[in-house]
Amino acid sequence: LIRTGLGVHEQWMPLAPSQRRPLHWPAVHAPLQFSVSVCSSSYDWDWSCSLGVASGDEGMEGGPSVAHQADGKGWGRLLSETLVKVRRRQPDTTASNPHSTNSKPALLLRVEQLLHSSGTLLILISEKPAGQAPYRIENDTAETLLVHQEGCSAQDAVLPFSRMPFAWDEPLA
């Protein structure tokens, strides 16, 4: 799912794997921001943090001129790449993690914004394996550690003598 707009101007759009879909903002004064979530019959997922839409004159200092072959018809210039965490809404209270009433399994998504040679902005969303998370927290103590990003209520539990792949809930905060 992709969500654009805020409040009364909010729109949700389903996006199937490998599907392409144009995004339109419902009001000209609405912020050019979007969030992503996962649509699953097994779990209920939260929304990611809000991400701003890149413009062609910002991003990665001119961006690599050859970032991807976006659709086989032309190359896209990478404007931004962000890793976002999307969490399940149900807490993980399984026997394997009995100390974690607030910890939620999460997906790490790579969100790339590319400027296509036609002038169209492409937003590519892909799952990034947890083993490729940007950080790893190692707990070498006999106690369970609770970890959270300042200003975010969600937290993760790192069990004694274990490690956990980690990414920020709000990477742009």
Side-chain angles (χ1 to χ4, degrees):
L1 289 175
I2 294 181
R3 176 175 66 184
T4 60
L6 299 170
V8 297
H9 300 292
E10 184 175 286
Q11 290 184 341
W12 297 15
M13 293 162 274
L15 188 65
S18 300
Q19 180 185 12
R20 295 179 186 171
R21 180 169 206 157
L23 291 179
H24 300 282
W25 271 256
V28 292
H29 63 277
L32 294 179
Q33 296 180 335
F34 64 98
S35 300
V36 295
S37 186
V38 177
C39 190
S40 166
S41 58
S42 305
Y43 298 103
D44 194 14
W45 295 85
D46 283 332
W47 287 98
S48 72
C49 61
S50 246
L51 298 167
V53 173
S55 69
D57 54 344
E58 67 181 31
M60 307 178 105
E61 250 345 276
S65 59
V66 193
H68 281 267
Q69 186 163 2
D71 64 0
K73 295 179 183 172
W75 292 90
R77 181 169 65 93
L78 185 63
L79 299 177
S80 75
E81 178 180 7
T82 308
L83 297 176
V84 296
K85 188 188 293 185
V86 179
R87 295 176 175 269
R88 283 190 204 160
R89 287 196 179 132
Q90 295 86 8
D92 180 8
T93 55
T94 63
S96 65
N97 200 1
H99 303 287
S100 174
T101 57
N102 293 322
S103 178
K104 303 173 186 178
L107 286 177
L108 186 59
L109 301 178
R110 175 186 294 138
V111 179
E112 297 170 288
Q113 296 185 50
L114 296 100
L115 184 61
H116 189 270
S117 59
S118 69
T120 301
L121 178 71
L122 299 174
I123 300 173
L124 304 175
I125 302 166
S126 58
E127 185 176 350
K128 186 165 180 149
Q132 295 179 11
Y135 305 100
R136 180 174 73 190
I137 298 174
E138 295 185 6
N139 181 2
D140 291 332
T141 72
E143 305 295 327
T144 297
L145 299 178
L146 296 177
V147 180
H148 75 97
Q149 181 176 349
E150 181 129 354
C152 295
S153 60
Q155 59 185 6
D156 295 295
V158 187
L159 297 175
F161 305 105
S162 67
R163 58 183 170 231
M164 177 189 74
F166 183 80
W168 299 110
D169 284 282
E170 297 278 346
L172 304 177

